[in-house]
Amino acid sequence: MVQEEKDMFTEIEDIKKLDIRSMMFDELAVWVQAVGQPAFRAKQIFEWVHEKGIADAEEMTNVPKKLIEEIKKQGMHGVEEVTRLVSKQDGTNKFLFRLQDGNVLESVLMRYKHGNSVCISSQVGCRMGCRFCASTIGGLIRNLEASEMLDQIYAIERITGERVSNIVVMGTGEPLDNYDNLIRFIRIINDERGKNISQRNITVSSCGLVPQIKKLADEELSITFALSLHSPTDEDRRKLLPIANKYSIAELMEVCRYYFEKTGRRVTFEYSLVKDENDTPEHAYKLAELLKNMHGHVNLIPVNPIKEREYCRSLGDSVEKFKYILEKKDINVTIRRSMGRDIDAACGQLRRKYEEAKETF
């Protein structure tokens, strides 16, 4: 066997390890021909799965039965609705979805004047250990496949009958800890033959995995990168985020500058305000000094309290004063609008309650 044939064989074998939803268009085209079907079938399948967002291969009305059977063998991994909570305050929908292996995850639909945003999970559980987050309690179970990330969006569109225009990868899990599946997800959701959601309408959040942030910058995508900073000093940041013991703020600022230089996209600095921990005027002045030349934007987030943690939400006056200090120092800043506070808004809460309820039976 010549080298070219060996490479093609290896490529086909690697593609066959993917389920249909996780295949990018070129991979799907290779797979279609590998199962003895004409090339044009790839476009039909891709449109059914990613443009129409179908849940079952049997819905592909212009695809032959033989090929549908091959698709079923390959698998079309997705999610199944377990429950949905709807906020009486602002109409936010929080979904609990079940995966094929029985694990569950959360997704949130938020309605804005500019369109519908969906916050999706990237992992089942999380191993980052952030002190104020419910998602990390119990640790990491596993990474989500690209298909399972995609189908959170497709399922919400099927259930609500509404189109999603903005995506935030900020739910359960550390997206950059599931790097390859994250990039595959972005490429597929952005494909013009599918949902064709602009990369500029996609935000990816990270608690600060420096090597992966640099790698993400080198992808030269047009997405928004959001860094969960939460403190202007290493000492205080270590109290909130264990990852701060590995990567310093100086390293984070360096890689954020690199991200801006490579992509031309300003970084969003997420700052969860925890009462008496990181919300004082002193913290605000230090943050302004840290970010004064960073070409970034600060998103202040009054933390959502959870019963397993002792942290409390910053008071309204403290939040406004913090914002005022940053603005006076010429830092671009907004306060994130609190959505769905009456339906377990904090990330990981609904999944946590579900798992606890199962343990009682």
Side-chain angles (χ1 to χ4, degrees):
M1 186 182 292
V2 298
Q3 187 60 45
E4 186 176 339
E5 290 175 331
K6 287 181 180 178
D7 291 344
M8 185 174 292
F9 176 80
T10 301
E11 180 188 13
I12 292 171
E13 289 305 303
D14 287 343
I15 290 171
K16 285 182 176 179
K17 295 174 185 176
L18 300 168
D19 68 285
I20 292 295
R21 268 203 196 94
S22 291
M23 292 181 190
M24 290 187 282
F25 182 80
D26 290 346
E27 294 169 331
L28 183 59
V30 171
W31 177 83
V32 162
Q33 293 185 70
V35 296
Q37 293 289 324
F40 74 88
R41 294 296 184 194
K43 186 171 186 293
Q44 290 178 326
I45 296 170
F46 199 87
E47 287 177 349
W48 277 112
V49 173
H50 298 294
E51 182 184 12
K52 297 181 174 67
I54 62 167
D56 190 332
E58 292 287 351
E59 296 177 55
M60 300 182 189
T61 54
N62 60 350
V63 174
K65 188 71 176 175
K66 183 178 178 182
L67 183 52
I68 287 175
E69 291 306 314
E70 291 291 344
I71 292 169
K72 287 180 177 179
K73 287 184 209 173
Q74 194 69 23
M76 213 168 81
H77 299 174
V79 301
E80 176 189 359
E81 183 184 5
V82 176
T83 190
R84 171 169 45 148
L85 304 179
V86 180
S87 170
K88 294 179 181 177
Q89 295 177 355
D90 53 42
T92 294
N93 283 225
K94 188 158 192 175
F95 296 85
L96 188 70
F97 289 122
R98 183 182 292 110
L99 302 168
Q100 291 186 333
D101 62 3
N103 280 302
V104 294
L105 56 81
E106 297 175 8
S107 310
V108 182
L109 168 68
M110 297 160 287
R111 297 183 176 95
Y112 298 99
K113 291 179 181 178
H114 61 266
N116 292 331
S117 291
V118 167
C119 180
I120 67 167
S121 297
S122 57
Q123 296 178 310
V124 180
C126 182
R127 62 174 174 167
M128 294 297 110
C130 300
R131 307 297 188 207
F132 49 81
C133 181
S135 297
T136 195
I137 299 170
L140 176 67
I141 306 300
R142 69 170 176 86
N143 286 331
L144 293 184
E145 299 171 25
S147 55
E148 294 167 327
M149 297 171 71
L150 290 160
D151 202 45
Q152 292 173 65
I153 298 158
Y154 301 168
I156 288 172
E157 288 192 334
R158 289 194 300 267
I159 293 165
T160 64
E162 299 177 35
R163 180 166 175 76
V164 170
S165 55
N166 296 274
I167 300 166
V168 182
V169 191
M170 204 180 289
T172 299
E174 162 57 55
L176 298 189
D177 194 33
N178 186 16
Y179 188 87
D180 290 342
N181 284 322
L182 171 71
I183 298 302
R184 182 175 288 276
F185 160 79
I186 293 171
R187 302 285 189 201
I188 294 173
I189 202 72
N190 176 235
D191 195 304
E192 61 184 8
R193 289 158 292 205
K195 289 296 178 188
N196 193 25
I197 292 179
S198 170
Q199 289 185 18
R200 290 179 177 272
N201 290 0
I202 300 171
T203 298
V204 172
S205 173
S206 172
C207 67
L209 306 184
V210 170
Q212 288 90 329
I213 297 170
K214 186 176 187 299
K215 191 175 177 182
L216 183 66
D218 290 336
E219 302 278 352
E220 297 189 29
L221 301 170
S222 299
I223 63 171
T224 296
F225 172 67
L227 174 68
S228 295
L229 185 58
H230 307 318
S231 175
T233 70
D234 286 316
E235 181 182 3
D236 286 344
R237 194 167 189 266
R238 291 187 197 109
K239 296 174 185 176
L240 297 172
L241 296 90
I243 195 67
N245 291 294
K246 187 168 185 178
Y247 303 113
S248 68
I249 287 178
E251 289 175 290
L252 286 172
M253 294 303 103
E254 182 180 353
V255 79
C256 285
R257 288 189 192 95
Y258 180 80
Y259 187 91
F260 177 75
E261 289 167 4
K262 290 288 288 188
T263 67
R265 301 281 289 165
R266 69 176 185 173
V267 173
T268 294
F269 295 96
E270 296 172 316
Y271 197 99
S272 289
L273 290 159
V274 182
K275 186 175 183 293
D276 300 328
E277 293 284 339
N278 66 351
D279 66 343
T280 67
E282 182 184 4
H283 284 103
Y285 284 116
K286 287 181 178 179
L287 182 63
E289 181 65 23
L290 177 69
L291 302 181
K292 64 182 180 181
N293 296 314
M294 288 302 298
H295 306 288
H297 175 88
V298 176
N299 193 7
L300 298 178
I301 311 165
V303 73
N304 284 309
I306 57 175
K307 66 181 179 65
E308 293 90 350
R309 306 297 197 201
E310 295 179 356
Y311 296 117
C312 298
R313 185 183 184 90
S314 292
L315 300 176
D317 288 348
S318 297
V319 176
E320 290 295 337
K321 188 171 184 179
F322 203 100
K323 179 175 181 282
Y324 175 78
I325 291 170
L326 293 180
E327 287 177 333
K328 292 293 286 184
K329 293 292 184 177
D330 296 321
I331 302 295
N332 291 312
V333 57
T334 54
I335 299 172
R336 181 185 292 176
R337 177 183 164 198
S338 184
M339 302 285 281
R341 287 187 64 188
D342 57 327
I343 55 167
D344 297 319
C347 183
Q349 278 187 300
L350 183 56
R351 173 177 169 264
R352 182 76 179 157
K353 284 187 175 183
Y354 176 82
E355 296 293 354
E356 287 175 348
K358 282 200 308 183
E359 292 172 5
T360 63
F361 292 97

